[in-house]
């Protein structure tokens, strides 16, 4: 699996992550999925647009999904995209012959690796871009996808220069 992004997509995600620090930022990746050759069996996802969304995580959501009591349930540690916003973006994308192909979010003062909460809420067939923000500055960006047994695996990123 390869995720193709333009440099301006990465800049937009990084700027949002630094702006929302110390809370997690989040957003959706709109684009297209293409299959590779039979020999390579490599599918690629090409991002056409990065759509910033509001992190609407609340304590009530943590209670509703019955997180362990010792988990930090603040927006510093979690994100949530309003399902109504996802539906609206999905309709807009469909009108433009695009799909939601992924989700991105930041990890303030933590590595760009998926958390258990990320795994619990992840959907198959999406790319999951995670940005590590240390002391307010982005230091790493990685992409992940789910395996059939619901585990994350690293996803290659191909960065194109913006035109």
């Amino acid at each position: 699996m390869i995720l193709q992004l333009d440099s301006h997509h990465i800049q937009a995600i990084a700027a949002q992550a630094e702006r929302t620090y110390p809370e997690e930022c989040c957003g959706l990746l709109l684009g297209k999925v293409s299959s590779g050759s039979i020999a390579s069996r490599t599918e690629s996802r090409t991002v056409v647009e990065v759509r910033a969304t509001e992190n609407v995580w609340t304590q009530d959501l943590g209670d509703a999904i019955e997180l362990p009591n010792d988990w930090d349930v603040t927006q510093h540690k979690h994100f949530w995209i309003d399902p109504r916003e996802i539906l609206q973006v999905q309709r807009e994308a469909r009108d433009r012959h695009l799909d939601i192909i992924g989700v991105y979010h930041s990890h303030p003062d933590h590595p760009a690796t998926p958390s258990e909460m990320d795994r619990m809420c992840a959907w198959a067939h999406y790319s999951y871009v995670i940005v590590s923000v240390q002391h307010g500055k982005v230091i790493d960006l990685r992409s992940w996808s789910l395996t059939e047994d619901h585990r994350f695996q690293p996803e290659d990123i191909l960065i194109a220069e913006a035109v």
Side-chain angles (χ1 to χ4, degrees), residues 19-160:
R19 191 174 51 252
T20 60
Y21 179 87
E23 296 180 351
E24 288 194 7
C25 76
C26 53
L28 301 170
L29 305 173
L30 308 181
K32 297 182 177 192
V33 177
S34 60
S35 299
S37 67
I38 292 174
S40 69
R41 297 183 177 184
T42 302
E43 184 177 82
S44 68
R45 297 178 181 125
T46 303
V47 175
V48 173
E49 180 181 332
V50 170
R51 180 75 61 94
T53 61
E54 183 180 355
N55 180 357
V56 295
W57 178 265
T58 64
Q59 173 71 44
D60 292 342
L61 283 167
D63 294 342
I65 57 177
E66 300 177 357
L67 293 178
N69 289 335
D70 60 339
W71 283 25
D72 180 352
V73 292
T74 64
Q75 287 187 343
H76 178 74
K77 292 281 190 177
H78 300 289
F79 76 95
W80 194 262
I81 301 172
D82 186 332
R84 293 171 293 195
E85 186 170 7
I86 294 173
L87 185 59
Q88 179 184 346
V89 171
Q90 189 173 40
R91 287 181 184 143
E92 292 173 20
R94 192 176 307 136
D95 290 345
R96 297 169 52 204
H97 305 286
L98 300 173
D99 293 305
I100 295 174
I101 61 170
V103 175
Y104 69 89
H105 71 286
S106 60
H107 279 182
D109 299 318
H110 287 279
T113 56
S115 66
E116 178 59 18
M117 180 68 172
D118 294 334
R119 192 190 65 79
M120 289 170 47
C121 296
W123 297 340
H125 310 295
Y126 273 11
S127 291
Y128 289 90
V129 172
I130 301 175
V131 179
S132 175
V133 184
Q134 301 291 324
H135 307 292
K137 295 291 180 194
V138 169
I139 64 163
D140 194 13
L141 180 144
R142 296 178 187 216
S143 187
W144 304 85
S145 60
L146 280 177
T147 61
E148 290 180 9
D149 60 351
H150 211 74
R151 296 179 188 268
F152 276 108
Q153 65 180 2
E155 186 173 67
D156 291 333
I157 297 175
L158 178 63
I159 301 170

